[in-house]
Each structure stands twice: as structure tokens, then as C-alpha cells.
Amino acid sequence: ETGVTQTPRHLVMGMTNKKSLKCEQHLGHNAMYWYKQSAKKPLELMFVYSLEERVENNSVPSRFSPECPNSSHLFLHLHTLQPEDSALYLCASSQVYFPRYEQYFGPGTRLTVT
Amino acid sequence: SQQGEEDPQALSIQEGENATMNCSYKTSINNLQWYRQNSGRGLVHLILIRSNEREKHSGRLRVTLDTSKKSSSLLITASRAADTASYFCATDAVDGGATNKLIFGTGTLLAVQP
């Protein structure tokens, strides 16, 4: 649909588990983003990668660990999460890392931490 | 308050009516974007308006920008049930220095009744 895919679409994990979210973009873009969307809150930017280099890390707890092995793939590794981390996690990409360019979003991973 | 705040928070109209959503922001911007999000899905870019533009059209969408009032409006004409979604504005706010971030508002939830 948008050229950005995310897996899994739904994830339930305990606080002691380790899991990973995967994002893949088929658009040839150079920038990729992780956002957290919680109910009644603005979209929160978590991490940005530009040309596979992390350029933004917005005071995100260390229990979230991003990885960008190449310009098409982005991972978010999760460990020892808290219930308040339950949210929709959205991946996005843009042609370049600059806000003039529109961002293309994946469908998101709905994460529930029990 | 947030950099981008949409108003109203929720809007319910009948099919065929027009829907108007507003976005206010606090700091100077270079451009403003509008996105749509269907329930539990990723965001989809609708339109971008630059700070030197006052009005822009795309199909049934009309966006205005008033930089003196730091506000923008999104008008959807002849609404359809498929327009039911949340609508977000996003700005590239300059916050004490250069920023490459897009900052999203909290969104307006639009419900179009058939």
C-alpha cells in the first residue's frame, strides 16, 4: 500500500521478554524513523536514521534499541519493557532527512506489554 | 501546549457535508503538512503547504495557511464515509535553532455518518 511494511502487526509480550519489530521500505528512501503513538498523545519521534546513521535519539529509554543494517531495513529491539510502553509503533521513511519531504508510514505494530 | 494543536478534537458530520479542521502552532515554520490516519493504521500524507503559500488544493481538499495567526485549516468538501479518520497537522518548527524534525499535533477525529 505505501511501500513501507512492518512486522509483526500485533505483539503481546511480558515484561521480561525480548522481541524485535521490523520495518522495510521499498521506496529507495535515505531516511527512516521510529515513532510511538499512544492514545490522546501526539506522535512521539523516537529515532531517526539517515543513510544508515542514527541522527536522532529523543531521550528514549535504553530498553528500546534501534538497528539499521541498511537503508531499506530498520529494527527496534525491545527488552524488559514496562506496561506504559504499550502503544502503536510506527515506522516511516522519507526521501531524505528533511521535514520538507513527506513521510511514508507503515501500518504499525500494536504492542501490548503485560 | 503542543507545537501543533488540532481543533476540534472530534467532529461528526453527515455524508455530503463539508468538514473543517484547524491547526494552530507556536513557532515559525517553513512548511506545514496534513496527514490522515485510518483507525489503527499508519499515517498517509495528504498535502504540504509552504510558509509563502496561503492556499492549496488537492481534489476535495483545501488547505489554508495564515502565518500571522500561526494557524492552518483543512477543508474536506462533499465528505464521504471513507473520509472517516484522524487528521493530523505536522510542522517543521524551528525550536531555538535548526531542526529537521516534523512535529505532529494530537489530531482531529472525523466521523462521517452515511
Side-chain angles (χ1 to χ4, degrees):
Chain A
E1 180 185 13
T2 63
V4 180
T5 58
Q6 288 186 245
T7 54
R9 293 294 311 278
H10 300 272
L11 178 63
V12 178
M13 59 186 288
M15 289 191 283
T16 58
N17 291 159
K18 283 188 181 181
K19 297 284 184 186
S20 295
L21 310 185
K22 180 183 175 183
C23 174
E24 185 173 358
Q25 58 99 357
H26 313 273
L27 302 167
H29 288 169
N30 288 327
M32 295 188 76
Y33 310 77
W34 278 118
Y35 287 92
K36 176 184 178 183
Q37 186 176 35
S38 307
K40 308 256 190 253
K41 291 172 110 178
L43 218 57
E44 297 174 51
L45 179 64
M46 299 175 72
F47 301 104
V48 182
Y49 278 81
S50 177
L51 297 170
E52 301 157 44
E53 198 174 306
R54 192 192 305 182
V55 294
E56 287 280 351
N57 180 355
N58 284 355
S59 303
V60 180
S62 59
R63 56 187 185 268
F64 295 91
S65 173
E67 180 190 359
C68 187
N70 56 63
S71 59
S72 299
H73 293 87
L74 186 64
F75 294 89
L76 187 63
H77 303 299
L78 316 171
H79 65 99
T80 58
L81 294 191
Q82 304 298 311
E84 61 264 28
D85 297 323
S86 298
L88 182 67
Y89 288 84
L90 293 164
C91 172
S93 71
S94 63
Q95 191 173 344
V96 295
Y97 176 45
F98 195 74
R100 183 193 313 152
Y101 291 86
E102 67 182 269
Q103 294 186 14
Y104 292 75
F105 284 79
T109 295
R110 173 67 63 185
L111 174 67
T112 303
V113 181
T114 60
Chain B
S1 59
Q2 307 295 333
Q3 162 65 1
E5 284 193 13
E6 288 87 345
D7 164 57
Q9 290 188 355
L11 178 62
S12 181
I13 60 173
Q14 296 293 316
E15 210 165 23
E17 294 180 339
N18 296 341
T20 300
M21 289 158 273
N22 303 295
C23 168
S24 59
Y25 56 90
K26 299 178 77 176
T27 63
S28 298
I29 61 170
N30 294 311
N31 63 72
L32 184 145
Q33 303 184 36
W34 283 92
Y35 286 79
R36 183 190 78 224
Q37 183 181 32
N38 290 84
S39 179
R41 307 282 300 182
L43 281 72
V44 175
H45 180 264
L46 295 176
I47 198 164
L48 178 151
I49 186 165
R50 304 200 196 308
S51 60
N52 62 354
E53 297 176 307
R54 292 295 165 259
E55 190 170 309
K56 205 160 180 183
H57 297 255
S58 177
R60 293 183 296 112
L61 306 181
R62 173 178 165 243
V63 169
T64 61
L65 180 64
D66 187 335
T67 52
S68 67
K69 294 181 180 177
K70 293 188 168 58
S71 68
S72 173
S73 67
L74 170 67
L75 168 68
I76 304 174
T77 59
S79 63
R80 305 167 182 167
D83 295 327
T84 295
S86 291
Y87 291 83
F88 297 86
C89 66
T91 59
D92 63 339
V94 178
D95 181 17
T99 178
N100 282 346
K101 299 178 195 178
L102 263 188
I103 302 176
F104 288 82
T106 49
T108 291
L109 178 59
L110 173 66
V112 181
Q113 310 297 333

